[in-house]
């Protein structure tokens, strides 16, 4: 190490400028390089270094370079790892590399610190900026507050001025008031003085006037005069007296006499009043004493007796000498005695009453002492009792009400029941009546129908007879002509069909009375006879129609079959089939005509 | 001559207390309301311009007729009913007439000094003339023609008062800007006492009816009532309040027990005669809700149906047909009494109790508050409470108690006479010819009749109390 340093020293001695220049260059480069792009930075110096190396180190100055580098390296505090002496031509690569590595590390480190430093600097600069801004702000604030302060100061000054002026004003006003008061008082004084002066003047004038008038009178006696025909006597008939000392004294005496008499009268009144009051007092005292006595007699040997014993003696003699007192009623001593005794009695009575009160309260207390809640309990009990009673009463009332209501409702209910029953009955009756009416109507209609039917039957029988006769004639003809003239038969068909129709109705006629009953069973609603009956009668008609062939000839139900049968049947049956056809047509017609009615009825 | 009429408008319920029968006399002429009954109650003196007419009250026939030198401004009977004083202030003349000696005459001439007031002394032998400017009071004796002067009389509300027994005269004086009271013995005008009073400006003085106490009150600027004994000792001083207008009227009860003081605060204060302290204070509220009081309100209505008896007169006297009829009705409480607000910037405001009148038995006190001029309040002095309030359609002019009975007569300047007694209240139409408006009234000393004074007429109203007394 020592050695290397020596070498380095020599090296530095040889090439101090270059290193310095390099340092400066490095510095400039590093200064120029942007702090953020350290990758490129790292690559750039390398490149430069290589470029420099190419210029720096040649084949010829290898040795020098080596020594220089080793010197530099040792200056940097690294061991060069190689010795100049040993390896002039061949370098220990490992050592160089190590050195290089160390150098690079060093470089990196320096770069990093640089970076940190830069960051730090940046931070600091921003901080400085911030502080600067802050500073300006604060300065502004200071400015503003300064301004405000001056404003406030100004205002204060103004207010001070105002206050001063107001104070001045107040002082002035006060002075004014004082002045005015002074003026008023002086005026009042002046006025009084003036008034007095005027009055005095007035009196003086009066005097003067009096004097003048008197003087005038002296001169002219007619001015103020009395003209009396003749003097009249005094009202009391006496002569008027000369004014003397005696009369004066007499007047005084009279005055005092009147005053005295007045006082006398007043005194008498007062005496009377006093006597009355005294009487009242006496009576009061007596009553008090009697009350106290009775009290004393009853509760003898009580704890408060000692209070009375001392007073008992004088009390007794006071009680027993009212007559004596009345004698010396107006004596001061007696009066004092009386008032004193009354006072005493009154005190006693008061204490007695108080004691009684306290006793009462004590007894109450003792009653309540057992448990303080006794009266309250009593109270509560009483309350409860009363409440209960109230409840009971309420219940009773309610019950009564209920009963009453029930009774009423019973009466009502019975009534309602009966009423209901009645109502039902009435309804029933009504219904029945209505039914009866409808039945009646039906009966009537039936009657009518029956009549119709009977008429119809009569007619039918007539027609049958005619028919029979026709048939007879026809049979006769057939018999007579036995020739197959079917056409002629068909010609007769309408005639027979009409006859058959009548016959069918005739068949149905006896069944007619039954149909309403069936209807009734179906629906309770009263149905107007003739119209409503027709549908059922239509059904009946059908079945009757079904029966009719049965009556005549037995055959199957299907129409086609029927028609076929008809054709197969004997010519005798042809008429029947024809008739049947006719019927069906009529039935269809009737059903057609009836269906709307049905619907309407339903 | 005497026309007796029945007044039917008397309320039935007060028939027993107020007399149901009232008879009115014929109307006579008078001037200046100069019409006085002699103290003995036998004669009636009236002045018509410069003539003095004396009538017998029983027959109303003229007994004497005197002719004065000028229009009479004041007329007064002497206490013994023998002389009549007629004063003619303008001329400064006083004429005295004798009833017994019609040709006797007396003329007092005050001359250039002038005359403002003239009155009899209680003995009826002296005349006191107050000269103009209250320069002096001249005392003329009719017995001796002697004249004496009293200087420095004070010009005030009531500066001179005689005691009831006629022995003493109290006179307010003003000397050296101080008030004094002089007490004279009327017998020989001897100055008995002369003392200074503690008043700023004495306004009046009045003897108690028993003649032993003199009440003296200050002017309205200060509420102050002073009570002096006959010998000039100050018995008591009473002041209810300060800094406000004070006493307006003062009245003694006939029993001398009470002194009623009416003041500008619309209250009456009653002082007792032993301690001279206030016993009670009567207020005059605009709304009466005192349930013990009865409020009678005069209700006016046009005469729709006139009774037969009245109609007869009405035919003869058409005027009454035109006049409205009115009667008292008892109002249910509370009652609002119309109040007139006084103008505050005027002197002597129309507010406060100006009329105080005790009934002869001291049982009742009638008052009138000036800002409720239509109402008269009657107070019971035994119960110390309001007894009745009479409210009228117009302002009350005159209130007078019957000198014998507790019966109050009053008039309101219309043609009616109003009467109140504890039993009830009644208003009576005066059945006189023409328009007779009662402006003032005077009781006869017996209490049997009232003299009603119109503008220039007078009429006597007789209370028929025979049945009551028998």
């Amino acid at each position: 190490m020592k050695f290397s340093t020596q070498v380095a020293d020599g090296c530095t001695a040889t090439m101090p400028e270059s290193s310095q220049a390099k340092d400066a260059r490095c510095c400039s480069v590093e200064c120029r390089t942007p702090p953020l792009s350290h990758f490129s930075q790292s690559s750039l110096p390398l490149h430069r270094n290589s470029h420099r190396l190419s210029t720096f180190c040649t084949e010829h100055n290898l040795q020098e370079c080596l020594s220089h580098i080793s010197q530099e390296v040792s200056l940097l505090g690294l061991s060069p790892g190689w010795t100049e002496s040993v390896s002039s031509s061949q370098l220990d690569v490992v050592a160089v590399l190590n050195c290089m590595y160390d150098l690079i590390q060093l470089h990196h480190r320096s770069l990093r610190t640089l970076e940190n430093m830069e960051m730090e600097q940046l931070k600091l600069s921003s901080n400085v900026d911030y502080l600067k801004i802050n500073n300006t702000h604060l300065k502004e604030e200071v400015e503003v507050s300064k301004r405000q302060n001056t404003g406030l100061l100004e205002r204060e000054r103004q207010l001070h001025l105002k206050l001063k002026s107001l104070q001045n004003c107040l002082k002035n006003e006060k002075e004014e008031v004082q002045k005015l008061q002074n003026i008023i008082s002086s005026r009042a004084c002046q006025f009084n003085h003036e008034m007095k002066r005027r009055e005095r003047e007035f009196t003086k004038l009066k005097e003067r006037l009096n004097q003048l008038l008197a003087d005038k009178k002296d001169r002219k006696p007619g001015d103020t005069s009395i003209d009396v025909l003749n003097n009249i006597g005094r009202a009391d008939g006496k002569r008027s007296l000369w004014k003397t000392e005696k009369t004066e004294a007499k007047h005084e005496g009279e005055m005092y006499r009147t005053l005295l008499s007045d006082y006398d009268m007043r005194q008498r009144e007062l005496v009377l009043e006093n006597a009355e009051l005294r009487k009242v007092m006496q009576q009061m005292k007596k009553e008090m004493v009697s009350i106290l006595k009775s009290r004393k007699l009853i509760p003898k040997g009580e704890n408060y007796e000692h209070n009375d014993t001392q007073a008992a003696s004088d009390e007794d003699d006071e009680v027993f000498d009212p007559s004596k007192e009345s004698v010396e009623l107006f004596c001061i001593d007696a009066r004092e005695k009386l008032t004193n005794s009354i006072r005493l009695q009154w005190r006693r009575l008061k204490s007695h009453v108080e004691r009684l009160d306290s006793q009462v309260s004590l007894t109450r207390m003792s009653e309540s002492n057992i448990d303080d809640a006794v009266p309250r309990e009593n109270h509560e009990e009483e309350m409860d009792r009363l409440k209960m009673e109230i409840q009971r009463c309420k219940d009773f009332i309610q019950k009564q009400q209920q009963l009453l209501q029930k009774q009423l409702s019973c009466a009502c209910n019975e009534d309602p029941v009966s009423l209901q029953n009645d109502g039902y009955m009435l309804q029933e009756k009504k219904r029945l009546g209505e039914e009866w009416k409808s039945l009646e109507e039906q009966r009537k209609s039936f009657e009518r129908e029956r009549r119709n039917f009977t008429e119809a039957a009569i007619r039918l029988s007539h027609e049958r007879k005619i028919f029979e006769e026709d048939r007879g004639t026809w049979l006769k003809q057939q018999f007579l002509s036995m020739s197959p003239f079917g056409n002629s038969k068909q010609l007769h068909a309408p005639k027979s069909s009409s006859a058959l129709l009548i016959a069918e109705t005739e068949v149905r006629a006896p069944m007619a009375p039954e149909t309403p009953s069936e209807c009734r069973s179906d629906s309770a609603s009263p149905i107007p006879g003739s119209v409503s009956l027709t549908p059922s009668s239509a059904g009946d008609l059908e079945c009757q129609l079904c029966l009719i062939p049965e009556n005549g000839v037995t055959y199957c139900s299907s129409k086609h079959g029927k028609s076929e049968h008809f054709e197969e049947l004997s010519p005798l049956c042809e008429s029947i089939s024809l008739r049947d056809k006719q019927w069906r047509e009529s039935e269809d017609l009737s059903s057609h005509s009836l269906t709307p009615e049905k619907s309407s009825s339903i | 001559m005497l026309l007796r009429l029945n007044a039917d408008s008397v309320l039935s319920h007060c028939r027993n207390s107020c007399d149901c029968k009232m008879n009115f006399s014929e109307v006579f002429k008078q001037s200046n309301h100069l019409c006085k009954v002699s103290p003995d109650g036998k004669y009636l003196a009236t002045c018509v311009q410069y003539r003095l007419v004396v009538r017998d009250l029983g027959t109303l026939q003229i007994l004497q007729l005197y002719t004065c030198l000028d229009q009479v401004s004041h007329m007064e009977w002497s206490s013994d009913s023998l002389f009549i004083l007629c004063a003619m202030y303008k001329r400064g003349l006083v004429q005295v007439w004798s009833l017994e000696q019609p040709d006797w005459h007396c003329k007092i001439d005050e001359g250039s000094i002038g005359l403002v007031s003239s009155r009899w002394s209680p003995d009826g032998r002296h005349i006191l003339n107050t000269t103009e400017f209250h320069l002096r009071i001249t005392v003329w004796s009719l017995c001796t023609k002697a004249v004496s002067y009293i200087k420095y009389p004070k010009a005030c509300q009531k500066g001179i008062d005689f005691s009831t027994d006629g022995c003493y005269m109290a006179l307010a004086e003003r000397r050296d800007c101080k008030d004094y009271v002089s007490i004279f013995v009327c017998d020989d005008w001897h100055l008995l006492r002369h003392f200074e009073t503690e008043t700023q400006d004495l306004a009046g003085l009045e003897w108690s009816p028993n003649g032993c106490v003199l009440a003296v009150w200050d002017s309205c600027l200060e509420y102050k009532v002073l009570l002096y004994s006959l010998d000039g000792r100050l018995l008591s001083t009473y002041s209810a309040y300060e800094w406000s207008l004070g006493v307006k009227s003062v009245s003694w009860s006939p029993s001398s027990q009470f002194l009623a003081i009416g003041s500008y605060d619309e209250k009456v204060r009653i002082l007792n005669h032993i301690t001279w302290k206030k016993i009670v204070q009567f207020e005059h509220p605009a709304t009466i809700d005192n349930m013990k009081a009865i409020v009678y309100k005069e209700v006016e209505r046009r005469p729709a149906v006139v009774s037969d008896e009245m109609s007869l007169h009405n035919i003869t006297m058409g005027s009454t047909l035109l006049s409205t009829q009115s009667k008292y009705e008892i109002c249910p409480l509370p009652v609002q009494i119309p109040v007139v607000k006084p103008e505050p910037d005027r002197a002597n405001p129309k507010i406060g109790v100006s009329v105080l009148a005790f009934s002869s038995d001291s049982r009742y006190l009638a008052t009138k508050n000036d800002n409720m001029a239509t109402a008269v309040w009657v107070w019971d002095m035994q119960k110390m409470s309001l007894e009745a309030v009479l409210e009228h359609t117009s302002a009350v002019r005159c209130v007078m108690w019957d000198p014998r009975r507790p019966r109050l007569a009053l008039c309101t300047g219309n043609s009616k006479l109003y009467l109140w007694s504890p039993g009830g209240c009644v208003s009576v139409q005066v059945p006189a010819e023409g328009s007779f408006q009662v402006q003032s009234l005077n009781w006869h000393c017996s209490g049997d009749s009232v003299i009603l004074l119109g503008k220039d007429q007078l009429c006597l109203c007789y209370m028929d109390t025979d049945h009551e007394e028998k």
Side-chain angles (χ1 to χ4, degrees), chain A residues 206-222:
Chain A
K206 272 184 177 175
E207 286 276 334
R208 180 94 185 114
L209 195 61
N210 259 332
Q211 218 166 5
L212 278 173
L213 283 166
D215 289 350
K216 212 174 161 189
K217 193 194 158 196
D218 284 345
R219 275 179 270 133
K220 237 202 251 171

Side-chain angles (χ1 to χ4, degrees), chain A residues 277-299:
Chain A
L277 287 173
R278 201 159 296 171
K279 235 186 262 171
V280 169
M281 267 170 99
Q282 287 274 0
Q283 204 181 337
M284 217 162 83
K285 195 186 120 184
K286 255 188 238 166
E287 274 171 22
M288 273 199 254
V289 166
S290 67
I291 287 167
L292 284 169
K293 260 194 170 172
S294 63
R295 186 257 309 168
K296 218 165 75 183
L297 281 171
I298 297 156

Side-chain angles (χ1 to χ4, degrees), chain A residues 192 195-197 199-200 202-203 205-207 209-210 213-214 216-217 222-236 240-243 247-248 250-252 254-256 258-259 261-263 265-266 269-270 273, chain B residues 80 83 101 103-113 123 125 133-136 140-145 147 149 151-153 168 174 176-178 185 187-190 192-193 210 212-213 229-231 233 235 273-274 276:
Chain A
N192 277 335
M195 210 173 73
K196 275 184 185 170
R197 200 173 60 79
E199 220 175 308
R200 248 176 241 133
F202 185 53
T203 47
L205 272 171
K206 272 184 177 175
E207 286 276 334
L209 195 61
N210 259 332
L213 283 166
K216 212 174 161 189
K217 193 194 158 196
D223 192 50
T224 305
S225 65
I226 179 160
D227 173 24
V228 186
L229 187 69
N230 54 336
N231 293 359
I232 49 169
R234 283 168 56 105
D236 50 7
S240 57
L241 298 165
W242 292 103
K243 270 193 191 175
T247 53
E248 208 170 295
K250 200 187 85 190
H251 286 316
E252 286 282 309
E254 264 175 20
M255 182 193 80
Y256 283 122
T258 48
L259 273 179
S261 66
D262 178 55
Y263 281 124
M265 219 166 69
R266 244 199 248 184
E269 276 172 22
L270 288 175
E273 206 174 314
Chain B
D80 54 5
F83 300 97
Q101 306 165 333
D103 46 352
W104 182 89
H105 61 85
C106 170
K107 190 183 91 179
I108 299 166
D109 189 356
E110 284 292 343
S112 51
I113 201 160
D123 65 353
R125 294 295 177 270
F133 310 112
H134 284 76
L135 217 58
R136 67 189 185 200
W140 299 92
S141 167
L142 298 184
C143 303
T144 60
K145 285 198 205 174
V147 58
Y149 301 108
K151 275 194 197 171
Y152 315 112
Y168 303 102
R174 183 85 179 175
D176 299 325
C177 311
K178 280 172 192 159
V185 181
D187 217 13
D188 53 2
W189 308 107
H190 168 72
L192 190 69
R193 283 288 183 275
N210 62 9
C212 290
V213 184
S229 166
L230 179 61
D231 53 355
R233 281 179 298 123
L235 294 173
H273 74 305
I274 294 170
W276 304 110

Side-chain angles (χ1 to χ4, degrees), chain B residues 248-249 262-268 282-287 337-340 342 349-356 366-379 389-390 395-396 399:
Chain B
K248 192 158 190 176
S249 56
S263 51
Y264 280 92
D265 65 345
E266 304 172 55
K267 282 170 192 156
V268 175
F282 296 145
E283 294 180 21
H284 296 76
T287 311
I337 288 185
V339 179
V340 179
K350 276 201 174 291
I351 189 168
V353 180
S354 65
V355 173
L356 288 169
T367 61
K368 186 188 130 188
N369 187 8
D370 275 352
N371 52 340
M372 306 170 185
T374 58
V376 170
W377 308 62
V378 181
W379 308 85
V389 178
L390 319 178
V396 175
V399 179

Side-chain angles (χ1 to χ4, degrees), chain B residues 69-304:
Chain B
L69 292 166
D70 199 357
Q71 183 161 359
V72 180
S73 10
H74 178 71
M75 182 262 286
E76 196 178 329
W77 281 94
S78 69
S79 56
D80 54 5
S81 308
L82 292 174
F83 300 97
I84 303 166
L85 172 157
C86 290
M88 291 140 272
Y89 292 146
K90 275 183 199 165
R91 293 272 290 261
L93 272 177
V94 175
Q95 280 189 294
V96 186
W97 305 101
S98 167
L99 206 66
E100 287 181 334
Q101 306 165 333
D103 46 352
W104 182 89
H105 61 85
C106 170
K107 190 183 91 179
I108 299 166
D109 189 356
E110 284 292 343
S112 51
I113 201 160
L115 182 64
V116 291
S117 163
S118 179
R119 75 186 80 200
W120 283 103
S121 78
D123 65 353
R125 294 295 177 270
H126 294 86
I127 290 167
L128 282 79
N129 285 343
T130 310
T131 61
E132 235 173 325
F133 310 112
H134 284 76
L135 217 58
R136 67 189 185 200
I137 290 172
T138 328
V139 183
W140 299 92
S141 167
L142 298 184
C143 303
T144 60
K145 285 198 205 174
V147 58
S148 41
Y149 301 108
I150 302 168
K151 275 194 197 171
Y152 315 112
K154 184 165 180 170
C156 58
Q157 192 186 335
K158 193 178 183 185
I160 187 164
D161 193 40
F162 296 102
S163 60
T164 343
D165 59 358
C167 283
Y168 303 102
M169 179 182 88
L171 180 75
E173 296 178 3
R174 183 85 179 175
R175 292 180 196 187
D176 299 325
C177 311
K178 280 172 192 159
D179 289 318
Y180 293 88
V181 169
S182 291
I183 295 169
F184 292 92
V185 181
C186 292
D187 217 13
D188 53 2
W189 308 107
H190 168 72
L191 178 67
L192 190 69
R193 283 288 183 275
H194 178 74
F195 50 89
E196 194 185 330
T197 60
E198 295 172 21
T199 48
Q200 287 290 314
D201 181 18
L202 190 148
L205 39 77
E206 193 171 319
W207 285 107
S208 68
N210 62 9
C212 290
V213 184
L214 182 72
V216 172
W217 60 95
D218 215 331
S219 72
C220 62
L221 293 174
E222 203 166 343
Y223 195 116
K224 200 172 194 180
V225 177
L226 301 154
L227 292 147
Y228 290 94
S229 166
L230 179 61
D231 53 355
R233 281 179 298 123
L234 177 65
L235 294 173
S236 181
T237 307
Y238 179 74
S239 175
Y241 54 86
E242 283 180 294
W243 315 121
S244 184
L245 289 182
V247 180
K248 192 158 190 176
S249 56
V250 171
S251 177
W252 284 95
S253 75
S255 62
S256 307
Q257 266 188 323
F258 307 115
L259 179 67
I261 306 163
S263 51
Y264 280 92
D265 65 345
E266 304 172 55
K267 282 170 192 156
V268 175
R269 291 171 177 85
I270 309 286
L271 307 189
N272 71 59
H273 74 305
I274 294 170
T275 60
W276 304 110
K277 296 261 166 64
K278 186 181 82 179
I279 311 171
V280 75
Q281 172 174 306
F282 296 145
E283 294 180 21
H284 296 76
T287 311
I288 299 164
D289 46 10
N290 182 354
M291 283 307 171
K292 284 173 189 163
I294 306 165
V295 179
Y296 297 96
K297 189 175 182 169
E298 187 192 3
V299 182
E300 265 189 348
R301 59 172 64 108
R302 293 266 155 204

Side-chain angles (χ1 to χ4, degrees), chain B residues 368 370 372-375 392-398 411-414 438:
Chain B
K368 186 188 130 188
D370 275 352
M372 306 170 185
T374 58
H392 304 90
T393 48
S394 43
V396 175
R397 294 282 186 92
C398 184
C411 58
T412 62
N414 57 15
V438 187

Side-chain angles (χ1 to χ4, degrees), chain B residues 401-417:
Chain B
W401 283 100
D402 183 331
R404 293 288 173 86
R405 282 164 281 260
R407 181 161 61 175
L408 187 73
L410 51 105
C411 58
T412 62
N414 57 15
S415 60
K416 282 177 211 78
L417 168 69

